[in-house]
Amino acid sequence: MSSCMCGSGREFDDCCAPFLAGAPAPTAEALMRSRYSAYTLGQFDHIERTDAPEARADFNRAEVERSAVGTTWLGLKVVRVVGGGVDDQTGQVEFIFRYQQHGKIHAQHELSHFRYDDGLWWYESSDMNPKSPPVRVEKVGRNDPCACGSGKKAKKCCGARSEG
């Protein structure tokens, strides 16, 4: 037995192997990890088989096979998972994978979208280099009530400068 290339820390036979053999993935994350493993192993039938019909039209098998030549896969890191569980209808998996191609090391950051339909998880699309939503910062004035809820003015509570 060997460790699964998807980075789950589990053995390959107990992780991605059943999905590559045709078993349905129970979650969007499991499907995404199995798709990464399929790329590393050159099992492009799995990639094509798990594409949603609308995504399948964009899959260029010849191009994928050509780009795989000389590629060494260096690892996968799942950054964030939204939905995609056993009771969900949609899911998103954000991840970064690294690879070496033509002597250079590259990293790719993606946010993949999945949907559950007819008892199966399907890959729909990916956004490359996804951006986080902007963080909204509200300025608290010195005479505004303190955000901690003490009822004091900010300047007399958490906004007070320590003097030393």
Side-chain angles (χ1 to χ4, degrees), residues 143-156:
N143 290 318
D144 291 340
C146 189
C148 76
S150 68
K152 296 179 183 178
K153 289 183 179 182
K155 69 181 177 185
K156 296 284 186 181

Side-chain angles (χ1 to χ4, degrees), residues 79-102:
V79 175
R80 181 174 58 103
V81 178
V82 177
V86 293
D87 296 324
D88 295 317
Q89 296 300 304
T90 61
Q92 296 179 339
V93 181
E94 183 177 351
F95 58 96
I96 300 169
F97 63 90
R98 296 177 45 248
Y99 61 100
Q100 183 173 4
Q101 195 173 51
H102 309 297

Side-chain angles (χ1 to χ4, degrees), residues 37-98:
S37 293
Y39 275 109
T40 68
L41 296 169
Q43 293 188 10
F44 306 122
D45 287 342
H46 179 68
I47 304 300
E48 201 165 7
R49 180 177 67 242
T50 58
D51 276 349
E54 64 275 13
R56 211 168 285 145
D58 294 332
F59 181 74
N60 183 330
R61 174 88 178 228
E63 184 179 314
V64 170
E65 289 174 347
R66 209 172 17 260
S67 70
V69 174
T71 299
T72 303
W73 299 93
L74 302 175
L76 171 71
K77 177 184 176 191
V78 173
V79 175
R80 181 174 58 103
V81 178
V82 177
V86 293
D87 296 324
D88 295 317
Q89 296 300 304
T90 61
Q92 296 179 339
V93 181
E94 183 177 351
F95 58 96
I96 300 169
F97 63 90
R98 296 177 45 248

